[in-house]
Amino acid sequence: MRKIIFFIVVIFSLLFSTEKINCQKTNEIDPIKGIIKKEIIKYPEMEIQDVYKLLHQSAMGSEHAVKDTAAVRKWMEKEISGLSWNHKEEMIDTISPGGKIVRINLRPYIKAGMNTEKLLNAFVKTANKFKGSKEVLERNLKCFLEMIEEGEVDFPKQEAENYFNELKEKGYPAVHHSKAYGEKYSPAYRVVAGELISQLKND
């Protein structure tokens, strides 16, 4: 039963429109805008830093290539052992149009009896093989700024622009979640390519 529920969740999480690169003002909702709105509804304490992290992962995938799988396994085991279990989350947060990249939340994944070694392998494959795009990241950031300007989200536009420009000068590095986000939601997930979700199925 858990397997059936898991793959129903997968199917619905991947039902997004074809990806649009340009953030244009049309009657249709741009897919990345829909993702941003959905995340803000689920995590209303998000700050600009957390939005950037979301859009960075959406465009770039995992933050770094993985050279030491053993170290990554140890890191995940340590994180799991220290998890607080009083947070309700969906198992899968789809964070890029078309489901190219997703966040697999550890708490519901483990509660469903899913295989953590398979999740680790999917994470490592994503980190080492997914081809990110700074062009897509920049366009996603532009979409977010347009959303602020149009009143679709409530963030200070000048602060967001300054923050994004500062990170652009640094080459768009990965960042941590904000302190407020971390304290409120205790995020614990792995970034995985959507095409690898089928490999997480228990035998």
Side-chain angles (χ1 to χ4, degrees), residues 119-182:
L119 177 58
L120 175 69
N121 291 337
F123 168 74
V124 171
K125 285 182 181 179
T126 302
N128 291 334
K129 295 183 179 181
F130 182 81
K131 302 297 183 182
S133 169
K134 287 187 178 180
E135 180 184 14
V136 172
L137 173 58
E138 288 190 334
R139 290 171 179 174
N140 288 349
L141 296 176
K142 179 182 177 183
C143 280
F144 177 65
L145 293 175
E146 286 183 5
M147 292 174 73
I148 296 175
E149 188 175 323
E150 295 168 4
E152 297 179 67
V153 293
D154 185 17
F155 288 85
K157 187 169 185 287
Q158 191 60 56
E159 182 180 334
E161 286 182 336
N162 292 343
Y163 183 66
F164 295 160
N165 287 335
E166 179 183 340
L167 291 172
K168 181 178 181 178
E169 292 176 359
K170 296 178 180 179
Y172 291 121
V175 300
H176 296 294
H177 279 293
S178 67
K179 182 179 179 181
Y181 188 101

Side-chain angles (χ1 to χ4, degrees), residues 11-23:
I11 291 171
F12 278 98
S13 71
L14 297 180
L15 289 179
F16 282 88
S17 303
T18 303
E19 181 176 6
K20 298 178 183 178
I21 294 299
N22 293 317
C23 191

Side-chain angles (χ1 to χ4, degrees), residues 1-10 13 38-39 42-43 87-95 102-115 119 188-192 197 200-202:
M1 184 64 179
R2 286 177 175 174
K3 295 178 184 178
I4 295 173
I5 293 174
F6 173 71
F7 284 97
I8 290 175
V9 171
V10 169
S13 71
K38 183 180 178 182
E39 287 296 298
K42 286 191 292 186
Y43 307 105
H87 295 272
K88 293 183 179 180
E89 308 155 297
E90 297 177 4
M91 186 184 297
I92 300 173
D93 284 333
T94 300
I95 63 172
V102 302
R103 289 172 174 172
I104 305 291
N105 290 307
L106 291 179
R107 279 177 283 258
Y109 185 86
I110 293 169
K111 285 180 180 179
M114 304 302 294
N115 189 308
L119 177 58
Y189 57 77
R190 292 297 178 270
V191 173
V192 171
I197 289 178
L200 302 178
K201 182 179 178 181
N202 287 333

